[in-house]
Amino acid sequence: MKRALYLVFVLLMLASLLVGCSKDKSTPTPAASGEAGLPADSMAIAAERGLTPDDINAALMTYVPSGQWDEYLTFMSGGHSGNLVVVGVPSMRILKNIAVFTPEAWQGYGFGNTDIEAMLDAGNVDGEEIRMGDSHHPALSETAGDYDGQFIFINDKNSARVAVIDLRDFETKQIVKDPNIISNHGATFVSPNTDYIFQGAQYATPYGWEYAPISEYKEKYRGLLTAWKFDREKGRIVPEESFSIELPPYWQDLCDAGKLVSDGWVFCNSFNTELATGGNLEGQPNFEASVSQRDMDYMHIVDWKKAAQVVADGKADEINGMPVISIPTAVEEGILYLAPEPKSPHGMDVTPDGKYLVVAGKLDPHVTVYSFDKIQQAIAGNNSTPDEYGIPILNFDDVMVAQLEVGLGPLHTQFDDQGNAYTSLFLDSMVAKWKLGGDDPAAYTVLNKVPVQYNIGHLVAAEGDTVSPDGKYLIALNKWAVDRFTPVGPLLPQNEQLIDISGDNMKVIYDMAMGIGEPHYAQMIKADKINAINAYPEVGWDPLTWQKSEFATLPGEERIERNGNEVEVFMTSVRSHLTPDRIEVKEGDHVVWHITNIETAHDATHGFQLDGHNISLSLEPGETASFEFNATNSGTYPYYCTEFCSALHLEMMGYFLVEP
Amino acid sequence: MSESVEKIIGPRVPAEEMRVHRRRYLAPTVLFLLAAFLLVASIFEPYWRLTLHAPQYPNGLTVEAYLNNLTGDVNEIDGLNHYIGMRPLDEAAPFEKSVSVLGVAVVALLILAAVFVHSRWAALLALPALLFPVIFLVDLQYWLANFGQNLDPAAPLSNSVQPFVPPVLFEGKIAQFRTVASPDIGLWMAILASALILVGLYFHRRAYKPLVDAQEAVAVHE
């Protein structure tokens, strides 16, 4: 009897073991690390290629083997390519080139897709189709001052627009155009919980970019700071809940939002407090000289929380549909202050603890560090003189903590997790690492510098502008490459240099040729913070509305509907056929065409192009996309899948016949 | 109660005998109850899984067969199967899928009935449950053969892929796919239930045979 019970017990154990085993989803484990010391054949390769020990170390630190993933993702603006480039770190491989302001055929962006055309049209200026942009400063969405991996925003300096990109599918979802300014630069910067996305103007114009003689620059031209309200649930900027603050026609430059103790405030640099208006053909000095005359320009200090309240109280003026707080109201309500800063500064960077602001000199070899606490005391102390627009200028010595000489042409500053700051030195072509000294001016010291190749603009450290930077990696975004890469003609790639900052001394460990744009700023986020999808949640998905499309077409529902001279096509795509594969219309018909990729498999994307028409779609698994056009030319036009989807990809086509 | 029914359900255990040899009579009951429980629980677990391995599917494609439906990468596998003209997997075994849940419940009830039947008829009641795993596999193999043999001759790859019989267990090969078919939790539970029934029948016989023999001896005497 005992034996029998034992037998039952053993059988049950066995069963539970089997159940346990089959539930254990085997996950691929990274390959075991190699043994220490390089084998002889590796050394032979190094010798043959002339690699130094530093080269070998750099290679070992950056090589990411097949099938393994990068630890960080860096989002680099594409500059005047108008896009946003996703780069893996430490491999420095380009993973994606997200189309934002400029059409891009591979992503089916801006070539017929009805949703995307409408989104791009929201960025039109006075009816002019703007189909490019100058993307500058990406900003990842934040929660409590730290990247949350949900969204990324980027500005267009060219026409003062801001775009929203959803990091579930890495696609652009919205473009908004500021109704009052036509040039921005200090964008995008988010408040610590992404309630607002800040956008500062750059080149002052009359509001609504209306005409006003340049002789009336001082009276009619204005700067601006716009706070775009962001609705995280909807994943959209809400223009109706956004507002602006009128600023003098100083050229506002980079901004940064306060965090932790300085949450609720936003700070923007400026230059051209000279109010220069050019005229070099008429014998006036060039702008470069005339805007660089004064020893001090102004930091703009803005209490955005109070400003939002002032707008809610109805004290703003509506200009072109946007509530704008006038300078007098801003001064009266205590929203806007100025503080002197040396000579056309560039970077404005709030330290991770939110207590200090680092302003890089550009034309001055110092970084100037301001204390938020001192700024608050100065505001309370009422010891200020007004500028010519009546805005109180705080006393420089009252708000400044330290000035540290870091080198020539300091531009931007990032931070690590050890209390250090890293400032790019454009003229020296170097990065300076220096120690933050808190309230003690003597404690600020330059630690060391590393040369970069060449003309560094921005730089980005791992999560280096958040409340908790990671250290570890820094990228120098160099404007010139000169001799770094195999020649490819007179337009050179940019050189993005990865720098190891884990040790005391910085080491350049990778040169990446950026041949698809000119990055300005970038942000680097731990890759595992982002939850990118593999396929859309449901077949028939509209990526823009993030719900099932009303034009979703499932297998068996394919059809062609005719209504007078309007022809509506409901098509499916699946390996390896398009249904229907024959569409006949009459010349002059208006054609509305919907395609649903009914695939659900990882990477089973189909493309679509129609010969002789300016139409290109990318249909990712589950996606429904639409386009429409007038069949103005009779003829016979094949259409086909453009993404090599399967062995029978070439057979995945159809005929579009337009009968005269 | 008629004599034949009495004969089928067998002798009852006298109270004194039950008190003395409690474990002897409890053993088959416990084993049968466990088997019935396992069978019913198996309804909620997959019975069989087929994994397709190919270079472009690093995680493989898997279809899991429950008694009444298929889950997993069915869409993708159907999509691939259309190249060789195989019908969609969901069209297989419509009758079996519609009756399986009720069927297993009935089979489990029969085991419960066997607990109260103290004659050799208990073996007959337990027989469907005992054979259930084999029946499942034989039926599945039938459908695999049916699908593999009846390919649409107009399919894109019908020239290069001839009709075939996918194996119900172990490895197969079709185009670039290596297929691995194996029993899943549900089937293991059913197999375990069969094993428990076998052991239970042994204890059943050991417990009740003497009573049946004694009863028959008395009957002969009378």
Side-chain angles (χ1 to χ4, degrees):
Chain A
M1 193 66 213
K2 268 187 182 165
R3 271 176 58 187
L5 283 174
Y6 176 76
L7 185 68
V8 170
F9 176 72
V10 167
L11 280 169
L12 282 174
M13 282 293 105
L14 201 68
S16 63
L17 204 68
L18 284 167
V19 170
C21 285
S22 47
K23 280 269 165 67
D24 177 28
K25 296 269 186 294
S26 65
T27 47
T29 51
S33 57
E35 61 253 278
L38 284 177
D41 53 349
S42 303
M43 289 310 291
I45 294 170
E48 191 192 334
R49 301 194 62 210
L51 301 179
T52 66
D54 274 352
D55 294 338
I56 296 169
N57 287 341
L60 292 176
M61 289 170 80
T62 54
Y63 179 66
V64 176
S66 177
Q68 292 187 34
W69 297 348
D70 280 304
E71 186 183 358
Y72 285 90
L73 289 184
T74 300
F75 293 84
M76 297 184 183
S77 68
H80 43 298
S81 69
N83 52 359
L84 178 65
V85 187
V86 188
V87 175
V89 173
S91 75
M92 297 302 281
R93 293 183 291 217
I94 292 178
L95 300 173
K96 203 165 203 176
N97 177 25
I98 304 172
V100 184
F101 297 108
T102 308
E104 203 283 319
W106 170 64
Q107 291 160 80
Y109 189 86
F111 291 94
N113 183 313
T114 316
D115 279 356
I116 293 170
E117 295 294 339
M119 187 181 65
L120 286 167
D121 281 344
N124 290 352
V125 176
D126 295 339
E128 175 79 13
E129 272 195 7
I130 312 285
R131 288 294 186 268
M132 53 88 211
D134 185 12
S135 59
H136 269 241
H137 309 108
L140 286 153
S141 59
E142 296 180 6
T143 299
D146 211 352
Y147 300 152
D148 54 40
Q150 293 184 354
F151 298 93
I152 188 162
F153 313 98
I154 193 160
N155 69 317
D156 163 37
K157 168 169 166 163
N158 174 283
S159 294
R161 299 177 295 176
V162 169
V164 179
I165 294 134
D166 192 325
L167 293 180
R168 285 175 295 190
D169 62 353
F170 283 57
E171 289 188 4
T172 306
K173 302 297 180 188
Q174 186 186 23
I175 292 173
V176 291
K177 166 81 198 85
D178 194 291
N180 287 310
I181 53 172
I182 192 70
S183 165
N184 77 16
H185 189 251
T188 51
F189 298 92
V190 298
S191 61
N193 282 313
T194 323
D195 304 304
Y196 288 97
I197 302 152
F198 297 108
Q199 171 200 252
Q202 183 132 69
Y203 309 126
T205 56
Y207 286 162
W209 50 97
E210 300 292 339
Y211 173 80
I214 195 91
S215 57
E216 295 174 14
Y217 186 85
K218 190 178 159 185
E219 298 77 29
K220 297 213 168 148
Y221 287 50
R222 285 293 177 270
L224 193 79
L225 177 70
T226 296
W228 291 107
K229 175 73 183 164
F230 185 64
D231 182 334
R232 194 188 287 267
E233 276 301 301
K234 295 193 180 111
R236 294 292 188 277
I237 287 170
V238 189
E240 304 77 46
E241 295 175 30
S242 305
F243 64 90
S244 300
I245 299 162
E246 181 191 14
L247 298 177
Y250 311 143
W251 293 350
Q252 283 80 37
D253 202 31
L254 286 159
C255 302
D256 202 3
K259 49 195 160 208
L260 302 174
V261 288
S262 53
D263 184 13
W265 294 74
V266 59
F267 314 94
C268 297
N269 288 334
S270 68
F271 56 117
N272 197 16
T273 51
E274 294 85 353
L275 305 181
T277 58
N280 54 7
L281 203 58
E282 290 81 31
Q284 300 295 317
N286 293 322
F287 271 117
E288 58 177 316
S290 53
V291 305
S292 309
Q293 294 304 302
R294 297 177 58 173
D295 282 337
M296 288 286 183
D297 289 287
Y298 299 130
M299 177 200 295
H300 297 57
I301 302 164
V302 177
D303 185 340
W304 65 260
K305 277 193 178 164
K306 200 183 270 182
Q309 189 54 50
V310 164
V311 173
D313 293 344
K315 294 178 188 166
D317 308 319
E318 190 163 302
I319 306 178
N320 296 318
M322 178 74 92
V324 180
I325 302 172
S326 68
I327 292 176
T329 305
V331 171
E332 190 183 322
E333 298 285 341
I335 290 168
L336 177 61
Y337 302 90
L338 302 174
E341 47 185 11
K343 229 163 164 52
S344 302
H346 196 48
M348 155 62 70
D349 299 286
V350 178
T351 55
D353 59 12
K355 290 181 179 172
Y356 304 96
L357 327 173
V358 177
V359 172
K362 190 164 84 178
L363 304 182
D364 176 292
H366 297 88
V367 288
T368 304
V369 182
Y370 297 78
S371 154
F372 178 72
D373 196 32
K374 284 186 150 197
I375 289 171
Q376 293 303 304
Q377 286 171 25
I379 289 172
N382 226 357
N383 182 18
S384 62
T385 48
D387 79 338
E388 50 194 309
Y389 293 90
I391 307 166
I393 308 170
L394 307 176
N395 194 332
F396 183 62
D397 292 328
D398 287 349
V399 293
M400 187 271 286
V401 176
Q403 284 194 293
L404 179 67
E405 185 168 342
V406 287
L408 296 180
L411 292 186
H412 304 280
T413 302
Q414 292 268 296
F415 305 95
D416 70 10
D417 53 339
Q418 307 289 321
N420 299 312
Y422 300 80
T423 299
S424 56
L425 305 173
F426 182 87
L427 300 177
D428 280 340
S429 279
M430 282 188 169
V431 173
K433 176 181 179 180
W434 51 279
K435 194 170 173 44
L436 288 162
D439 287 329
D440 176 12
Y444 288 83
T445 44
V446 173
L447 299 171
N448 53 65
K449 299 182 189 180
V450 65
V452 291
Q453 289 76 34
Y454 305 89
N455 291 1
I456 178 175
H458 276 273
L459 75 181
V460 56
E463 312 212 343
D465 70 348
T466 68
V467 294
S468 64
D470 287 3
K472 207 161 180 174
Y473 295 116
L474 181 89
I475 298 173
L477 304 160
N478 301 305
K479 299 297 176 189
W480 278 20
V482 192
D483 59 351
R484 291 295 99 176
F485 304 115
T486 312
V488 289
L491 178 61
L492 271 65
Q494 313 287 305
N495 185 15
E496 322 304 344
Q497 285 181 306
L498 181 65
I499 300 171
D500 169 27
I501 56 167
S502 57
D504 286 340
N505 291 313
M506 298 174 278
K507 280 190 188 134
V508 175
I509 53 175
Y510 198 88
D511 281 34
M512 173 226 183
M514 171 66 81
I516 54 171
E518 188 222 328
H520 290 266
Y521 185 40
Q523 288 194 333
M524 195 191 306
I525 179 175
K526 197 87 190 306
D528 60 16
K529 284 189 175 179
I530 297 175
N531 294 309
I533 57 166
N534 289 336
Y536 285 109
E538 209 178 319
V539 168
W541 203 255
D542 182 336
L544 215 58
T545 59
W546 207 259
Q547 60 189 18
K548 200 163 171 183
S549 165
E550 59 177 309
F551 307 115
T553 310
L554 297 178
E557 298 175 357
E558 299 92 343
R559 64 197 183 275
I560 302 169
E561 289 177 0
R562 290 167 204 280
N563 184 9
N565 67 344
E566 177 153 324
V567 179
E568 192 160 9
V569 179
F570 296 84
M571 179 178 272
T572 59
S573 70
V574 69
R575 281 160 290 166
S576 309
H577 52 275
L578 294 155
T579 310
D581 59 9
R582 204 187 289 158
I583 296 165
E584 300 191 41
V585 304
K586 289 257 195 282
E587 188 179 330
D589 280 350
H590 182 69
V591 181
V592 182
W593 196 320
H594 315 287
I595 310 179
T596 298
N597 179 359
I598 60 172
E599 305 268 8
T600 52
H602 199 179
D603 214 354
T605 292
H606 295 292
F608 178 89
Q609 289 184 354
L610 172 58
D611 294 357
H613 294 72
N614 195 36
I615 285 159
S616 182
L617 305 181
S618 172
L619 300 148
E620 286 108 54
E623 178 170 348
T624 293
S626 306
F627 59 96
E628 56 185 289
F629 60 99
N630 292 319
T632 44
N633 297 324
S634 66
T636 304
Y637 305 100
Y639 53 85
Y640 64 101
C641 171
T642 46
E643 176 110 7
F644 202 108
C645 59
S646 57
L648 296 171
H649 159 74
L650 293 178
E651 289 77 356
M652 191 167 172
M653 65 82 67
Y655 280 108
F656 176 64
L657 301 130
V658 185
E659 194 185 330
Chain B
M1 212 185 291
S2 78
E3 200 173 311
S4 58
V5 171
E6 249 173 53
K7 199 166 179 188
I8 287 172
I9 64 167
R12 300 297 91 187
V13 185
E16 175 60 15
E17 170 68 7
M18 180 61 99
R19 201 180 56 77
V20 178
H21 295 116
R22 191 174 178 79
R23 281 182 181 179
R24 170 180 300 190
Y25 299 101
L26 208 55
T29 301
V30 167
L31 289 167
F32 284 174
L33 285 177
L34 268 175
F37 169 77
L38 275 172
L39 260 188
V40 171
S42 79
I43 293 172
F44 304 99
E45 297 292 341
Y47 259 60
W48 181 78
R49 70 166 49 218
L50 176 70
T51 306
L52 284 72
H53 298 277
Q56 55 273 69
Y57 294 97
N59 297 322
L61 290 173
T62 301
V63 58
E64 289 170 330
Y66 288 73
L67 286 177
N68 58 349
N69 72 325
L70 298 173
T71 61
D73 303 308
V74 180
N75 263 345
E76 184 63 11
I77 292 171
D78 280 344
L80 294 167
N81 280 344
H82 99 276
Y83 286 116
I84 59 170
M86 189 180 279
R87 284 171 286 156
L89 298 181
D90 270 333
E91 289 180 12
F95 173 73
E96 291 91 324
K97 283 190 289 195
S98 66
V99 302
S100 56
V101 170
L102 189 64
V104 167
V106 169
V107 166
L109 279 176
L110 289 178
I111 307 173
L112 290 185
V115 169
F116 300 99
V117 173
H118 299 164
S119 69
R120 62 186 58 184
W121 289 96
L124 191 65
L125 290 173
L127 194 62
L130 192 63
L131 295 181
F132 185 68
V134 178
I135 295 168
F136 173 83
L137 285 172
V138 168
D139 186 60
L140 183 61
Q141 181 67 77
Y142 161 76
W143 280 106
L144 287 168
N146 182 309
F147 267 52
Q149 292 291 315
N150 295 296
L151 301 178
D152 179 358
L157 297 185
S158 59
N159 284 336
S160 43
V161 175
Q162 298 305 313
F164 64 107
V165 180
V168 72
L169 290 175
F170 311 117
E171 286 198 22
K173 175 98 184 146
I174 177 73
Q176 80 267 41
F177 288 93
R178 183 171 65 86
T179 64
V180 181
S182 54
D184 213 328
I185 306 166
L187 187 56
W188 286 119
M189 289 165 83
I191 289 170
L192 185 59
S194 296
L196 293 178
I197 288 167
L198 266 182
V199 178
L201 283 173
Y202 165 76
F203 284 113
H204 186 277
R205 185 181 156 87
R206 209 182 68 165
Y208 297 116
K209 182 91 178 356
L211 294 184
V212 173
D213 289 349
Q215 199 176 39
E216 278 172 3
V218 171
V220 167
H221 272 283
E222 282 171 356

